[in-house]
Every structure is written in C-alpha cells, then in structure tokens.
C-alpha cells in the first residue's frame, strides 16, 4: 500500500517545484520526514545555491596580487 503523504510530497516537489520548507508548511510535517519522503527525488534547480564564492575568491586573489605589486 502506497503512502499518500509520500505521493503528495513527491508531487509537490516534481510538479510544483517546491522547496523542502514549502513542502513542510503545506503538509505540516517535519524536515526529516520530508527528506525521507523525497529520497531519490532531485531538488529543483532554483533551490540550489549558486557557486558565487568561487568567483569572489578568484577576484580576491586577483586584487591581492595587484595590490602587492
């Protein structure tokens, strides 16, 4: 027998592209439970953090090198 809560959590993630926090709020369940229900379902692209630090680090190294001349 399939868990209807799991089916709804997966639908919210895949169809509506909701974050874990948004799914928690909609379903009224805890974070760990949401992660367990979504195991194997990749997060929407918009929820991933950008890798801005890589660019910032490279810029900082460039500025330090230029200041040391």
């Amino acid at each position: 027998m399939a868990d209807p809560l799991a089916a709804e959590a997966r639908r919210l993630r895949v169809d509506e592209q909701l974050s874990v926090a948004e799914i928690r709020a909609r379903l009224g369940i805890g974070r760990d439970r949401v992660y367990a229900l979504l195991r194997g379902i990749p997060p929407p692209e918009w929820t991933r953090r950008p890798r801005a630090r890589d660019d910032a680090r490279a810029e900082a190294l460039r500025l330090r090198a230029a200041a040391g001349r």
Side-chain angles (χ1 to χ4, degrees):
M1 184 158 140
D3 181 355
L5 193 59
E8 180 62 7
R10 289 170 180 257
R11 186 193 70 75
L12 292 171
R13 178 64 124 194
V14 173
D15 296 342
E16 296 191 30
Q17 298 286 298
L18 298 184
S19 68
V20 168
E22 292 167 327
I23 294 170
R24 287 179 61 205
R26 286 254 187 116
L27 300 180
I29 58 177
R31 183 191 59 160
D32 292 342
R33 178 75 172 129
V34 173
Y35 279 114
L37 295 173
L38 296 177
R39 190 168 293 129
I41 304 293
E45 197 59 39
W46 72 267
T47 63
R48 296 175 187 243
R49 290 180 60 188
R51 298 193 183 273
R53 290 193 310 180
D54 293 340
D55 294 340
R57 183 175 289 124
E59 178 68 7
L61 291 172
R62 187 188 67 74
L63 291 171
R64 286 185 192 128
R69 293 183 188 182

